[in-house]
Amino acid sequence: MSQKIAIIRGDGIGPEIMDATLHVLDAMKLGLEYVDVDAGMVALEKHGELLPQATMDAIRTHRIALKSPLTTPVGGGFSSINVELRKRFDLYANVRPAISFPNTRSRYDKVDLITVRENTEGAYIGEGQALSEDGETATLTQKVTRRGSDRIVRYAFDLARKVGRRKVTIVHKANILKKLTGLFLETAMEVGERYRDRIEIEDKIVDNCAMQLVLNPWQFDVILTTNLFGDILSDEIAGLVGGLGMAPGGNIGKEAAIFEAVHGSAPDIAGKGMANPTALLLASAMMLDHVGDTERATRLREVLHQTMVVDGIRTRDLGGEASTDAFAQ
Ligand code: NAD
């Protein structure tokens, strides 16, 4: 494989977990070429802006980026650089697999599920957010479109079929938000009909789903939902399998795909050599799947299993003592 990828080292623990990740990817001799670009606080310091044009150009040209967490400064400008990247590249599918590894701090064994979240619509994007002049009333516009729903639903069902999943659960709040998430549910049911021969389809109201995940996470396979519900449920699911240090994510669109660790820049442990690089490594495996190298994506997941479960080498967040570097070695 000869593939150029944009590398964003990010802020806080970002450079540490990226070094560890690239160390492992290099050892796998994947033939990847890295194009280093900046975003976040480091970009602000070096180039005077959080998201420089050169970074946008590199993602547009190479179409694939591996990204460490970014710190968004509190105050003016973007509400989040991550949201801005999703918007600019129309990265409409947010995919978050969650697998429990034994011998970690996973609360449940044998969890293996994927959340597919619509990434460009709904309350999460904060459209039309305003506070009245007297400071007493906050408002927001929530928009769900048939087109936006249609493309994420297709994405989820196609993914489920491609990776051999048996069930898709559509998560909504159409009992109350009858129009808003009702449109999403209706579209998902319509599109899902075409996949029913191979995939079981069910729907669940989001609050019930949140409870069912804790009671019996094994009943789920692929969860398909809207932006804000997906944001919350996927962190809950990360909690089921050992926390954010184990949670990778992919933001995928037609023009580009950005793979990342779901966690933030962890300023409390930055520079201490104790960050867990597993989420970024699992995100790299998603990236390999995305470019069609499923064999080595699987190999990378096996390597992580071998390291944590068989050899018992774990970082502190998982109850071990290994440094970031020792784990990568
Ligand atoms: P965080 O995820 O950075 O940290 C929460 C807790 O989890 C901390 O105790 C941290 O030490 C721990 N943690 C996180 N990742 C870890 C890892 N790989 N290994 C070991 N421990 C880990 O959340 P936060 O403190 O709320 O946010 C810090 C900054 O990150 C904020 O500026 C926020 O905006 C940003 N952020 C960025 C992203 C992203 O770029 N994708 C996501 C979330 C938050």
Side-chain angles (χ1 to χ4, degrees), residues 36-250:
D36 278 302
V37 287
D38 297 315
M41 292 306 280
V42 73
L44 190 63
E45 278 155 28
K46 273 164 74 176
H47 314 284
E49 49 186 335
L50 289 165
L51 201 48
Q53 189 56 44
T55 303
M56 299 297 292
D57 292 346
I59 299 172
R60 187 159 285 120
T61 305
H62 306 304
R63 300 169 64 94
I64 292 181
L66 186 62
K67 185 182 84 54
S68 270
L70 307 173
T71 300
T72 300
V74 179
F78 310 136
S79 63
S80 152
I81 308 165
N82 296 310
V83 173
E84 192 63 24
L85 280 168
R86 290 168 196 172
K87 212 186 311 176
R88 297 231 199 140
F89 290 106
D90 196 21
L91 305 174
Y92 66 91
N94 186 303
V95 183
R96 291 193 182 182
I99 305 172
S100 52
F101 287 87
N103 200 24
T104 60
R105 288 213 165 133
S106 182
R107 285 174 185 267
Y108 298 83
D109 284 341
K110 298 193 174 109
V111 171
D112 179 5
L113 61 95
I114 305 174
T115 308
V116 178
R117 153 189 170 195
E118 202 292 320
N119 220 11
T120 59
E121 299 189 337
Y124 188 89
I125 61 168
E127 203 172 41
Q129 224 178 147
L131 189 63
S132 63
E133 263 179 32
D134 62 5
E136 294 296 318
T137 310
T139 49
L140 169 78
T141 306
Q142 282 202 53
K143 188 169 73 187
V144 167
T145 66
R146 194 176 293 280
R147 175 182 168 270
S149 303
D150 186 84
R151 64 181 181 170
I152 190 66
V153 170
R154 278 174 207 279
Y155 185 92
F157 279 103
D158 285 342
L159 177 72
R161 195 160 59 181
K162 188 170 138 201
V163 300
R165 297 287 175 152
R166 60 184 171 18
K167 184 162 93 171
V168 172
T169 305
I170 303 155
V171 178
H172 60 90
K173 187 75 187 173
N175 54 327
I176 303 293
L177 302 172
K178 289 184 168 49
K179 301 282 181 228
L180 197 81
T181 82
L183 179 60
F184 182 81
L185 175 62
E186 184 190 305
T187 311
M189 284 300 188
E190 267 169 34
V191 174
E193 229 15 78
R194 286 167 234 161
Y195 296 79
R196 248 193 217 280
D197 54 335
R198 277 189 248 166
I199 297 169
E200 186 191 335
I201 303 169
E202 65 171 13
D203 75 280
K204 276 202 177 6
I205 294 170
V206 63
D207 35 344
N208 178 33
C209 179
M211 180 189 67
Q212 294 288 339
L213 275 164
V214 175
L215 291 178
N216 175 12
W218 305 280
Q219 69 183 291
F220 296 101
D221 197 1
V222 174
I223 289 179
L224 164 62
T225 191
T226 47
N227 205 344
L228 185 59
F229 296 160
D231 178 56
I232 298 165
L233 290 181
S234 54
D235 269 28
E236 180 189 355
I237 295 165
L240 303 179
V241 301
L244 289 175
M246 305 295 290

Side-chain angles (χ1 to χ4, degrees), residues 13 17 67-74 79-80 82 86 96 244-246 260-270 274-279 315-318:
I13 58 168
I17 58 170
K67 185 182 84 54
S68 270
L70 307 173
T71 300
T72 300
V74 179
S79 63
S80 152
N82 296 310
R86 290 168 196 172
R96 291 193 182 182
L244 289 175
M246 305 295 290
E260 63 182 357
V262 164
H263 59 73
S265 51
D268 54 334
I269 57 165
M274 55 195 272
N276 181 2
T278 302
T315 45
R316 285 192 201 180
D317 56 311
L318 303 182

